[in-house]
mmCIF file of all heavy atoms in Angstrom:
data_model
loop_
_atom_site.group_PDB
_atom_site.id
_atom_site.type_symbol
_atom_site.label_atom_id
_atom_site.label_comp_id
_atom_site.label_asym_id
_atom_site.label_seq_id
_atom_site.Cartn_x
_atom_site.Cartn_y
_atom_site.Cartn_z
ATOM 1 N N ASN A 15 130.414 94.740 95.288
ATOM 2 C CA ASN A 15 130.497 93.662 96.260
ATOM 3 C C ASN A 15 129.138 93.414 96.901
ATOM 4 O O ASN A 15 128.378 94.343 97.166
ATOM 5 C CB ASN A 15 131.523 93.986 97.335
ATOM 6 C CG ASN A 15 132.934 93.983 96.792
ATOM 7 O OD1 ASN A 15 133.230 93.305 95.812
ATOM 8 N ND2 ASN A 15 133.801 94.746 97.414
ATOM 9 N N CYS A 16 128.860 92.127 97.176
ATOM 10 C CA CYS A 16 127.576 91.789 97.778
ATOM 11 C C CYS A 16 127.685 90.526 98.629
ATOM 12 O O CYS A 16 128.640 89.763 98.507
ATOM 13 C CB CYS A 16 126.506 91.609 96.705
ATOM 14 S SG CYS A 16 126.828 90.252 95.563
ATOM 15 N N LYS A 17 126.694 90.346 99.486
ATOM 16 C CA LYS A 17 126.552 89.132 100.276
ATOM 17 C C LYS A 17 125.468 88.292 99.603
ATOM 18 O O LYS A 17 124.373 88.767 99.326
ATOM 19 C CB LYS A 17 126.140 89.456 101.708
ATOM 20 C CG LYS A 17 125.943 88.215 102.559
ATOM 21 C CD LYS A 17 125.517 88.569 103.968
ATOM 22 C CE LYS A 17 125.265 87.306 104.771
ATOM 23 N NZ LYS A 17 124.765 87.638 106.117
ATOM 24 N N ILE A 18 125.792 87.029 99.358
ATOM 25 C CA ILE A 18 124.883 86.100 98.699
ATOM 26 C C ILE A 18 124.282 85.178 99.749
ATOM 27 O O ILE A 18 125.006 84.615 100.575
ATOM 28 C CB ILE A 18 125.623 85.228 97.664
ATOM 29 C CG1 ILE A 18 126.506 86.066 96.747
ATOM 30 C CG2 ILE A 18 124.664 84.339 96.906
ATOM 31 C CD1 ILE A 18 125.784 87.020 95.865
ATOM 32 N N THR A 19 122.985 85.024 99.713
ATOM 33 C CA THR A 19 122.296 84.066 100.569
ATOM 34 C C THR A 19 121.507 83.130 99.670
ATOM 35 O O THR A 19 120.741 83.580 98.811
ATOM 36 C CB THR A 19 121.349 84.765 101.561
ATOM 37 O OG1 THR A 19 122.109 85.709 102.334
ATOM 38 C CG2 THR A 19 120.697 83.761 102.498
ATOM 39 N N ILE A 20 121.716 81.819 99.868
ATOM 40 C CA ILE A 20 121.060 80.816 99.031
ATOM 41 C C ILE A 20 120.346 79.816 99.920
ATOM 42 O O ILE A 20 120.944 79.263 100.843
ATOM 43 C CB ILE A 20 122.085 80.046 98.176
ATOM 44 C CG1 ILE A 20 122.899 81.011 97.322
ATOM 45 C CG2 ILE A 20 121.382 78.998 97.314
ATOM 46 C CD1 ILE A 20 124.133 80.384 96.717
ATOM 47 N N CYS A 21 119.081 79.604 99.644
ATOM 48 C CA CYS A 21 118.336 78.504 100.251
ATOM 49 C C CYS A 21 118.075 77.535 99.117
ATOM 50 O O CYS A 21 117.303 77.822 98.186
ATOM 51 C CB CYS A 21 117.028 78.990 100.878
ATOM 52 S SG CYS A 21 116.133 77.662 101.714
ATOM 53 N N GLY A 22 118.764 76.406 99.153
ATOM 54 C CA GLY A 22 118.748 75.470 98.035
ATOM 55 C C GLY A 22 117.759 74.346 98.176
ATOM 56 O O GLY A 22 116.853 74.362 99.011
ATOM 57 N N ALA A 23 117.978 73.342 97.337
ATOM 58 C CA ALA A 23 117.060 72.217 97.197
ATOM 59 C C ALA A 23 116.824 71.469 98.505
ATOM 60 O O ALA A 23 115.720 71.001 98.768
ATOM 61 C CB ALA A 23 117.592 71.262 96.137
ATOM 62 N N ASP A 24 117.847 71.368 99.333
ATOM 63 C CA ASP A 24 117.718 70.587 100.567
ATOM 64 C C ASP A 24 117.285 71.432 101.764
ATOM 65 O O ASP A 24 117.230 70.946 102.882
ATOM 66 C CB ASP A 24 119.022 69.868 100.875
ATOM 67 C CG ASP A 24 120.210 70.815 100.964
ATOM 68 O OD1 ASP A 24 119.993 72.040 100.924
ATOM 69 O OD2 ASP A 24 121.339 70.324 101.064
ATOM 70 N N GLY A 25 116.996 72.721 101.536
ATOM 71 C CA GLY A 25 116.546 73.599 102.609
ATOM 72 C C GLY A 25 117.662 74.224 103.419
ATOM 73 O O GLY A 25 117.415 75.067 104.271
ATOM 74 N N LYS A 26 118.907 73.833 103.156
ATOM 75 C CA LYS A 26 120.037 74.422 103.865
ATOM 76 C C LYS A 26 120.292 75.829 103.338
ATOM 77 O O LYS A 26 120.082 76.117 102.171
ATOM 78 C CB LYS A 26 121.295 73.584 103.678
ATOM 79 C CG LYS A 26 121.253 72.255 104.382
ATOM 80 C CD LYS A 26 122.561 71.522 104.209
ATOM 81 C CE LYS A 26 122.508 70.179 104.891
ATOM 82 N NZ LYS A 26 123.749 69.421 104.669
ATOM 83 N N ILE A 27 120.760 76.691 104.227
ATOM 84 C CA ILE A 27 121.070 78.068 103.847
ATOM 85 C C ILE A 27 122.582 78.225 103.758
ATOM 86 O O ILE A 27 123.304 77.867 104.690
ATOM 87 C CB ILE A 27 120.465 79.073 104.835
ATOM 88 C CG1 ILE A 27 118.939 78.977 104.781
ATOM 89 C CG2 ILE A 27 120.933 80.484 104.523
ATOM 90 C CD1 ILE A 27 118.218 79.847 105.775
ATOM 91 N N PHE A 28 123.046 78.724 102.623
ATOM 92 C CA PHE A 28 124.458 78.985 102.389
ATOM 93 C C PHE A 28 124.643 80.483 102.228
ATOM 94 O O PHE A 28 123.788 81.158 101.675
ATOM 95 C CB PHE A 28 124.931 78.309 101.090
ATOM 96 C CG PHE A 28 124.848 76.822 101.105
ATOM 97 C CD1 PHE A 28 123.728 76.179 100.608
ATOM 98 C CD2 PHE A 28 125.885 76.059 101.599
ATOM 99 C CE1 PHE A 28 123.646 74.800 100.610
ATOM 100 C CE2 PHE A 28 125.815 74.679 101.609
ATOM 101 C CZ PHE A 28 124.688 74.047 101.108
ATOM 102 N N THR A 29 125.767 80.974 102.708
ATOM 103 C CA THR A 29 126.114 82.365 102.451
ATOM 104 C C THR A 29 127.480 82.420 101.791
ATOM 105 O O THR A 29 128.323 81.545 102.007
ATOM 106 C CB THR A 29 126.120 83.218 103.738
ATOM 107 O OG1 THR A 29 127.047 82.659 104.654
ATOM 108 C CG2 THR A 29 124.735 83.287 104.356
ATOM 109 N N SER A 30 127.669 83.430 100.996
ATOM 110 C CA SER A 30 128.912 83.620 100.276
ATOM 111 C C SER A 30 129.038 85.111 99.987
ATOM 112 O O SER A 30 128.080 85.862 100.173
ATOM 113 C CB SER A 30 128.884 82.816 98.972
ATOM 114 O OG SER A 30 130.076 82.976 98.243
ATOM 115 N N PHE A 31 130.185 85.510 99.537
ATOM 116 C CA PHE A 31 130.375 86.879 99.107
ATOM 117 C C PHE A 31 130.778 86.847 97.646
ATOM 118 O O PHE A 31 131.441 85.917 97.197
ATOM 119 C CB PHE A 31 131.426 87.586 99.966
ATOM 120 C CG PHE A 31 130.957 87.788 101.379
ATOM 121 C CD1 PHE A 31 131.222 86.839 102.358
ATOM 122 C CD2 PHE A 31 130.206 88.902 101.703
ATOM 123 C CE1 PHE A 31 130.759 86.999 103.649
ATOM 124 C CE2 PHE A 31 129.745 89.079 103.002
ATOM 125 C CZ PHE A 31 130.015 88.125 103.974
ATOM 126 N N GLY A 32 130.342 87.844 96.905
ATOM 127 C CA GLY A 32 130.627 87.878 95.483
ATOM 128 C C GLY A 32 130.402 89.259 94.927
ATOM 129 O O GLY A 32 130.555 90.254 95.624
ATOM 130 N N SER A 33 130.003 89.289 93.661
ATOM 131 C CA SER A 33 129.761 90.573 93.019
ATOM 132 C C SER A 33 128.440 90.556 92.262
ATOM 133 O O SER A 33 128.008 89.517 91.767
ATOM 134 C CB SER A 33 130.901 90.934 92.070
ATOM 135 O OG SER A 33 130.946 90.029 90.991
ATOM 136 N N LEU A 34 127.828 91.717 92.214
ATOM 137 C CA LEU A 34 126.577 91.916 91.488
ATOM 138 C C LEU A 34 126.808 93.026 90.480
ATOM 139 O O LEU A 34 127.270 94.107 90.839
ATOM 140 C CB LEU A 34 125.450 92.315 92.455
ATOM 141 C CG LEU A 34 124.149 92.814 91.842
ATOM 142 C CD1 LEU A 34 123.478 91.732 90.999
ATOM 143 C CD2 LEU A 34 123.203 93.290 92.945
ATOM 144 N N GLU A 35 126.541 92.724 89.227
ATOM 145 C CA GLU A 35 126.694 93.723 88.169
ATOM 146 C C GLU A 35 125.366 93.858 87.440
ATOM 147 O O GLU A 35 124.810 92.876 86.955
ATOM 148 C CB GLU A 35 127.784 93.310 87.173
ATOM 149 C CG GLU A 35 129.168 93.198 87.775
ATOM 150 C CD GLU A 35 129.681 94.492 88.372
ATOM 151 O OE1 GLU A 35 129.373 95.569 87.838
ATOM 152 O OE2 GLU A 35 130.397 94.421 89.394
ATOM 153 N N TYR A 36 124.851 95.076 87.396
ATOM 154 C CA TYR A 36 123.626 95.351 86.658
ATOM 155 C C TYR A 36 123.953 95.522 85.179
ATOM 156 O O TYR A 36 125.000 96.071 84.832
ATOM 157 C CB TYR A 36 122.951 96.623 87.178
ATOM 158 C CG TYR A 36 122.475 96.531 88.606
ATOM 159 C CD1 TYR A 36 122.983 97.375 89.576
ATOM 160 C CD2 TYR A 36 121.510 95.607 88.983
ATOM 161 C CE1 TYR A 36 122.543 97.314 90.895
ATOM 162 C CE2 TYR A 36 121.062 95.529 90.294
ATOM 163 C CZ TYR A 36 121.586 96.383 91.236
ATOM 164 O OH TYR A 36 121.151 96.310 92.538
#
Side-chain angles (χ1 to χ4, degrees):
N15 292 333
C16 63
K17 178 181 177 184
I18 312 295
T19 303
I20 303 166
C21 183
D24 56 7
K26 290 183 181 177
I27 296 176
F28 297 94
T29 58
S30 180
F31 292 91
S33 66
L34 169 63
E35 297 300 326
Y36 296 119

